Amino acid sequence: MIRKLSTTIALLIVVALLAACGGAAPAGADQVEVFSWWTGGGEAAGLDAMIKIFAAEYPKTEFINAAVAGGAGTNARAVLASRLQAGDPPDSWQAHAGQEIIGTYVAAGQIEPLNSLFEEEGFGKVMPATLLPLISKGDQIYSVPVNIHRANVMWTNPALLAELGVQVPTTWDEFFTACETVEAAGKICLSMGEQWTAMHLMEVVLLGELGPDAYNALWDGSGDWGSAEVTAALGTYAEVLKHVNSDAAGLTWQDASQLVANGDAAFNIMGDWCDGYFSGTAEGGNLGLVPGEGYGWAPPPGTDGTFQFLSDSFTLAKGAPHAEGALAWLKTAGSKAGQEAFNPVKGSICARTDCDATLFNAYLQTAMADWASDRVVGSLTHGVTANDTWKNEINTALGLFLTDTNRNVEAFQSALVAAAAAYPNK
């Protein structure tokens, strides 16, 4: 009873401080509308698990799930942009830590700082020191992280590799050699899906070829997009694209990863939400495979010892119609109970550092160990390294490159140089 009373008082203090900072009094404890792009497989199952925790803690607050499907968030973010432009924000929405929050929503004045919530809930004491600067501008904290994902993972079909006598490649030259064997057997070497998965592949190749220091320099303004090293890395990327499935543009990331699970492809490079899809229950729309048996994993060529990360988080909208409900949701999202319910199902590890590792499967336990020991760098595709405008320009250039049958690296690189000069991070 005392704990519940303390929690209630803390929430009221947060609400009061928010009102003092923002002017208008927050309202709407009876409801919260939460916007995300988690609509299927392990993503939706993970969200449902966290919603159950929320419902138990706040039974009088109705949860409105405003998730929008498609494009790994591309469709949802387009809908969100329209709503924000129309002055009709959801109470809280999913956003990636990094430039997606700081360079987009904070820059546009669309979300509220959450310092009081962090102080009251002690979030700052249990979130990694590497993560807090990516959700902060100055001394203001703007979102509640719910997880850590690893972007640089090469998923494999162990049975197919054993049948063909192919080892998991650690360099791109080894990858090209492996592809000769895989393709001679009539299989796809590397499965890929729609365009955002091609950007995901590109950033992993850049990281592997350039190394973490030069990769980071591309985003902080100290690197040279026009360098010979970037030319060579883009050339490697063009060679890698020669070994993907011809129908990539029409496949989702789940379709592409399923090619590996089915034994039609040897490799797939994708974030570790694949783990949730591979190992989640068939009833939940997943594949029900055993980690290490039905699927394997390794760092993509050249990236061993580097953890390319992204973090999903939730925000509080400026002018949220149900600010009290939103603050309650953010408390659950940042809580140990909420993150331990969400992440093992989603296929990610906790943003908090105090979660019980025994709740996670074999793959996710390796991810926890690597997150704690590897060099950490950010993902372009998933909002960490570049503001939205810069990222969109890169995506436009990539689209032209993918449809160019000659794969003109020089023209592609020139477009990347221009994008970096026109829209740097601030």
Side-chain angles (χ1 to χ4, degrees):
M1 176 64 75
I2 292 174
R3 184 177 182 277
K4 186 173 182 180
L5 180 60
S6 299
T7 301
T8 302
I9 292 172
L11 178 59
L12 290 173
I13 290 172
V14 170
V15 169
L17 289 173
L18 180 65
C21 293
D30 60 326
Q31 187 180 101
V32 59
E33 183 188 20
V34 176
F35 193 95
S36 77
W37 50 85
W38 294 332
T39 60
E43 296 178 330
L47 178 60
D48 286 343
M50 193 155 54
I51 291 172
K52 288 180 181 177
I53 300 294
F54 177 77
E57 294 176 344
Y58 301 95
K60 295 183 179 180
T61 303
E62 180 185 11
F63 187 93
I64 307 297
N65 186 352
V68 174
T74 303
N75 297 346
R77 294 199 65 205
V79 173
L80 176 62
S82 297
R83 289 189 58 173
L84 294 176
Q85 188 171 20
D88 177 33
D91 299 305
S92 179
W93 65 81
Q94 178 188 357
H96 290 128
Q99 283 297 317
E100 184 174 309
I101 289 176
I102 303 305
T104 305
Y105 302 126
V106 173
Q110 294 167 327
I111 55 178
E112 295 279 3
L114 297 168
N115 293 50
S116 298
L117 181 67
F118 267 68
E119 183 174 347
E120 294 296 333
E121 297 300 315
F123 289 162
K125 298 177 182 177
V126 293
M127 299 289 181
T130 53
L131 186 55
L132 292 176
L134 297 172
I135 56 172
S136 303
K137 180 74 172 178
D139 59 357
Q140 301 292 315
I141 303 172
Y142 282 94
S143 72
V144 175
V146 295
N147 67 359
I148 299 294
H149 270 304
R150 182 171 191 163
N152 61 319
V153 187
M154 173 175 268
W155 304 98
T156 69
N157 184 307
L160 178 61
L161 296 186
E163 176 187 336
L164 300 177
V166 171
Q167 300 295 314
V168 178
T170 60
T171 68
W172 288 112
D173 284 341
E174 291 179 4
F175 170 80
F176 297 134
T177 299
C179 286
E180 293 178 6
T181 302
V182 172
E183 290 164 353
K187 302 291 185 179
I188 299 164
C189 191
L190 181 69
S191 65
M192 193 178 80
E194 56 198 305
Q195 184 168 325
W196 74 263
T197 72
M199 180 184 285
H200 188 113
L201 175 62
M202 182 186 78
E203 69 180 40
V204 169
V205 174
L206 286 174
L207 174 62
E209 289 292 85
L210 298 176
D213 289 333
Y215 173 83
N216 283 340
L218 293 178
W219 310 112
D220 67 16
S222 63
D224 179 7
W225 279 92
S227 71
E229 289 78 12
V230 173
T231 305
L234 293 175
T236 299
Y237 176 56
E239 288 299 311
V240 172
L241 288 173
K242 293 178 180 177
H243 299 282
V244 305
N245 42 303
S246 59
D247 60 348
L251 302 185
T252 66
W253 70 264
Q254 292 98 331
D255 296 332
S257 56
Q258 191 166 12
L259 289 172
V260 170
N262 292 346
D264 295 319
F267 307 111
N268 173 253
I269 291 178
M270 184 44 53
D272 55 10
W273 41 94
C274 264
D275 175 69
Y277 180 56
F278 286 146
S279 65
T281 65
E283 293 79 9
N286 303 294
L287 302 183
L289 302 177
V290 176
E293 297 180 13
Y295 62 99
W297 59 88
T303 69
D304 190 18
T306 304
F307 193 111
Q308 190 176 35
F309 96 104
L310 59 132
S311 174
D312 295 297
S313 68
F314 282 93
T315 63
L316 172 63
K318 184 163 286 186
H322 308 92
E324 288 190 59
L327 286 167
W329 165 248
L330 293 173
K331 288 179 64 177
T332 297
S335 71
K336 187 171 186 285
Q339 297 202 7
E340 287 183 340
F342 171 74
N343 285 295
V345 182
K346 171 72 163 58
S348 50
I349 61 177
C350 293
R352 297 178 63 106
T353 57
D354 58 351
C355 286
D356 181 356
T358 64
L359 297 173
F360 295 79
N361 70 19
Y363 164 72
L364 291 171
Q365 290 190 15
T366 67
M368 286 181 180
D370 290 344
W371 169 250
S373 61
D374 281 4
R375 174 78 178 273
V376 174
V377 302
S379 164
L380 161 67
T381 310
H382 307 285
V384 181
T385 61
N387 63 71
D388 271 8
T389 307
W390 186 4
K391 177 183 164 185
N392 289 339
E393 287 297 307
I394 293 173
N395 196 45
T396 298
L398 175 61
L400 295 173
F401 184 64
L402 293 173
T403 55
D404 175 10
T405 55
N406 296 318
R407 295 280 157 75
N408 187 328
V409 169
E410 182 179 358
F412 185 32
Q413 186 173 14
S414 295
L416 297 178
V417 169
Y423 306 105
N425 295 323
K426 298 179 180 177

